Amino acid sequence: MPRLDDYPIAEEARLVDEGKKSQGQALWDLYNELTKRHLQEKAEWQAERDQLLKELAELKLKYQILEEKYNELINKPKANSNNSSTAPSQDLNRSKKNSKNKNRNVNPSDRKQREKSTLEPVQNPDKQELCEPEICNACGESLTEIAGDFNEARQVFDVPPVKLEITEYIQTKKTCNCGHGNLGKFPDFAVAPVQYGPRLQSIVIDLVIEHKLPYERICKLTKNLFSSGLSEATVESFLERAYQKALTIHAGIIEFLKTCEIVGSDETTVNENGKRVYTWTWQNQYASFFVRGPGRGFNVIEKHFLAKYNGSYLHDDYGAQNKVDAKVHQHCHPHITRKLEYCIDCGDKDWAPRVQELLYKSQHARDIIWRDGFPENLRRLVQESFETRLDSLLAETIDPKHKKSLTQQKRRLQHREKIFPFLYDPDLPFDNNGSERAQRNLKIHDKVSGCFRSQSGLERHLCLLSIIETGKKHGMNPFTVCENLIAGTLKFPWMA
């Protein structure tokens, strides 16, 4: 409200005293001025009040929107290894119970039996020792001249004392009757006056690549076992020597995979001297190929594999992999079911569970319809049934509030032909577990050793890992693979 002190009362009083204005007129003018100013300030106050009310309404609306978003984020299920592509190694709070097969009717008798690890006695032990009594426990008489009868045998499996065996190769010179001097030939691996032999080199390479041991730990291990520890530089030289011999075989592996009917692929990141870089793998039941990629783009596939592949290409639903012009694409079912699991966690209890169930049933049905003696016409009916049911699910109208399910429906429609190819090929897997298991070697090494120290070190490791993993797929012992590689005698079936 305007104060009376703000008005020109003294001025009005002076005009009255001078006779220029009557007292009544002065009071009236003062009243009019007071009223005018009061109405003006009231209008300003009301305008300010209306503006504040408007701002308050806008703030309430913003608060309501933010509250809804907050509640949505609070109630939003967390992505984990069961409902997303999060790696189990990054999912620290994951449930230990494996729920991916909870809807599958798996017959335990169909699972591969684990190899027995119980020790069994052998017919021909390396050596035998007699455990004979020397004196009688009752009377103390000597028993040395009395022949004993067999009572019981016990076999002990142990390692003989481990030590380095030093072999000196002496070259001699013989002069023929014709006068020509002839020198004896050293073994191919004896190239220096003093050096470590191929078996020790094979052990070290096996420990680094197959068992993921860091250099420092290998040096301590060799010192404890052989009383003659290696240096890290020596370990490095062993690996580099093997790498140079493996380059040609490494290149031959990917060339072989390009000719195969089925190939799976995957990519992951590893720590290279403090930065994350991508490694790629292409593999099947016969070979594994690992390589460092400059990134995660399609250019890596073009460079190391094929932009156009005349076979069945198995992978997860990743854009660069989808760009390969393959005869058949098969998307990894576990990747799809994990994303559907996230849709279920977000509240979709209708569409996503039915798609999951259809995928699980198709996996089980494939094993049945390709059994020996199963009628071909019935096999076609089963295949058509799954195709029809999938088309029906993808054509359904989903509640708009289930945004994740809508996204999955759109994605599955976009790559509709990449879901059920495995139903038509008994050798084509419905999952990409082979590639996932192959990449696990690198993730374990990454965690044990911390990182790869350089790009050249990573490339060397991937090359040797390709050789060892391929050898294992042909029933070869990793140590034997390393021995044959160093000796230059390693050959795979397609190299014959």
Side-chain angles (χ1 to χ4, degrees):
M1 293 290 293
R3 296 181 304 167
L4 193 60
D5 297 341
D6 297 334
Y7 297 101
I9 298 177
E11 180 64 19
E12 293 294 334
R14 187 183 63 78
L15 293 174
V16 171
D17 292 342
E18 293 178 356
K20 295 180 179 181
K21 184 180 291 188
S22 64
Q23 187 175 3
Q25 182 64 37
L27 291 173
W28 179 254
D29 291 342
L30 186 61
Y31 172 76
N32 288 337
E33 181 67 20
L34 179 63
T35 303
K36 178 181 177 182
R37 293 192 181 188
H38 173 69
L39 293 175
Q40 181 180 357
E41 292 186 3
K42 181 180 180 180
E44 293 175 355
W45 176 81
Q46 287 180 337
E48 183 178 357
R49 175 179 175 275
D50 292 342
Q51 180 64 26
L52 289 174
L53 290 174
K54 181 180 178 182
E55 291 179 1
L56 179 62
E58 292 176 352
L59 289 174
K60 284 183 176 180
L61 180 60
K62 290 181 179 180
Y63 172 78
Q64 183 179 359
I65 295 173
L66 290 174
E67 186 178 30
E68 291 176 356
K69 289 184 177 181
Y70 172 78
N71 291 332
E72 182 181 349
L73 291 174
I74 289 296
N75 299 323
K76 182 180 179 181
K78 294 183 178 180
N80 53 53
S81 57
N82 291 326
N83 60 18
S84 71
S85 296
T86 302
S89 59
Q90 303 297 323
D91 186 12
L92 301 181
N93 297 319
R94 68 186 183 277
S95 172
K96 301 300 181 183
K97 183 178 179 181
N98 187 1
S99 62
K100 67 180 182 179
N101 290 330
K102 61 184 179 181
N103 295 325
R104 293 187 63 189
N105 182 21
V106 179
N107 186 351
S109 63
D110 292 339
R111 301 183 186 274
K112 293 183 178 179
Q113 297 295 326
R114 295 182 180 272
E115 293 184 4
K116 293 183 179 180
S117 58
T118 305
L119 284 178
E120 298 289 346
V122 298
Q123 294 294 328
N124 300 307
D126 296 314
K127 66 178 182 178
Q128 293 179 324
E129 292 187 8
L130 292 177
C131 301
E132 296 181 317
E134 296 181 354
I135 59 175
C136 178
N137 295 330
C139 64
E141 184 178 350
S142 175
L143 303 176
T144 55
E145 301 299 327
I146 301 176
D149 298 324
F150 174 81
N151 182 64
E152 182 183 359
R154 299 179 182 180
Q155 294 186 352
V156 177
F157 292 66
D158 204 350
V159 178
V162 179
K163 68 173 186 176
L164 289 179
E165 182 181 76
I166 303 174
T167 302
E168 183 178 36
Y169 295 93
I170 302 174
Q171 186 185 59
T172 61
K173 180 179 180 181
K174 293 184 178 182
T175 303
C176 179
N177 294 330
C178 69
H180 179 71
N182 299 274
L183 296 177
K185 185 179 180 182
F186 285 113
D188 292 338
F189 55 81
V191 295
V194 179
Q195 66 179 71
Y196 290 107
R199 289 185 63 83
L200 181 59
Q201 295 181 42
S202 301
I203 291 174
V204 170
I205 296 170
D206 185 42
L207 291 174
V208 173
I209 306 300
E210 174 69 9
H211 300 282
K212 293 91 178 168
L213 290 187
Y215 291 6
E216 182 180 0
R217 196 174 300 176
I218 291 175
C219 295
K220 291 180 180 179
L221 179 63
T222 54
K223 184 176 182 180
N224 293 339
L225 289 177
F226 311 130
S227 300
S228 177
L230 305 175
S231 67
E232 293 189 21
T234 302
V235 175
E236 179 83 8
S237 68
F238 288 173
L239 293 169
E240 183 63 26
R241 201 171 301 148
Y243 172 59
Q244 295 301 325
K245 294 185 177 182
L247 284 172
T248 303
I249 302 176
H250 185 243
I253 291 176
I254 192 61
E255 292 303 320
F256 166 72
L257 286 171
K258 292 176 182 179
T259 65
C260 294
E261 296 182 357
I262 299 174
V263 170
S265 179
D266 195 19
E267 70 288 330
T268 191
T269 59
V270 295
N271 188 342
E272 180 187 281
N273 197 24
K275 64 179 181 179
R276 306 306 294 179
V277 298
Y278 278 96
T279 61
W280 290 69
T281 183
W282 286 272
Q283 60 78 38
N284 58 18
Q285 60 180 326
Y286 305 110
S288 295
F289 178 84
F290 298 86
V291 70
R292 179 187 183 277
R296 203 186 178 195
F298 181 63
N299 60 316
V300 180
I301 302 176
E302 287 183 304
K303 179 180 179 181
H304 296 288
F305 189 61
L306 292 169
K308 186 174 183 179
Y309 170 56
N310 188 29
S312 299
Y313 197 52
L314 176 61
H315 56 90
D316 56 14
D317 186 9
Y318 175 57
Q321 304 280 23
N322 285 324
K323 290 181 181 179
V324 175
D325 184 11
K327 182 179 179 181
V328 172
H329 280 266
Q330 173 64 60
H331 279 178
C332 176
H333 275 208
H335 276 79
I336 300 175
T337 54
R338 283 198 295 267
K339 292 176 181 178
L340 291 170
E341 189 70 30
Y342 188 71
C343 296
I344 296 173
D345 293 342
C346 290
D348 182 6
K349 308 299 182 183
D350 179 33
W351 183 81
R354 286 187 289 133
V355 178
Q356 262 192 343
E357 183 181 10
L358 181 64
L359 295 179
Y360 289 138
K361 288 183 176 179
S362 69
Q363 297 162 14
H364 184 63
R366 200 279 294 273
D367 297 335
I368 298 174
I369 64 176
W370 284 101
R371 289 176 181 171
D372 292 339
F374 194 88
E376 185 176 351
N377 59 338
L378 185 56
R379 181 188 302 137
R380 286 197 298 268
L381 288 176
V382 173
Q383 294 166 345
E384 292 172 1
S385 172
F386 279 106
E387 299 282 8
T388 302
R389 290 158 66 187
L390 178 61
D391 288 335
S392 177
L393 286 169
L394 296 181
E396 286 187 9
T397 301
I398 301 176
D399 191 333
K401 69 179 181 181
H402 299 313
K403 297 180 181 179
K404 295 295 181 181
S405 297
L406 289 170
T407 301
Q408 281 303 304
Q409 185 186 47
K410 181 179 179 181
R411 187 66 175 174
R412 302 284 75 82
L413 279 169
Q414 183 180 1
H415 300 285
R416 166 65 183 83
E417 75 285 355
K418 301 172 184 175
I419 299 177
F420 283 151
F422 77 99
L423 286 175
Y424 304 88
D425 185 349
D427 297 323
L428 179 61
F430 59 80
D431 58 48
N432 199 24
N433 290 349
S435 300
E436 299 281 354
R437 286 191 294 267
Q439 292 285 20
R440 190 181 303 158
N441 286 288
L442 296 170
K443 303 304 287 187
I444 294 174
H445 187 282
D446 204 14
K447 290 185 176 297
V448 172
S449 298
C451 71
F452 293 91
R453 297 180 182 178
S454 64
Q455 177 178 337
S456 59
L458 175 58
E459 291 174 347
R460 180 178 62 206
H461 185 94
L462 295 174
C463 175
L464 296 174
L465 180 62
S466 301
I467 305 295
I468 291 178
E469 288 298 310
T470 300
K472 289 163 64 176
K473 290 184 175 182
H474 291 275
M476 301 173 67
N477 184 288
F479 175 73
T480 304
V481 174
C482 297
E483 271 195 312
N484 293 340
L485 175 63
I486 293 174
T489 59
L490 179 63
K491 289 192 179 298
F492 295 120
W494 63 84
M495 299 169 60

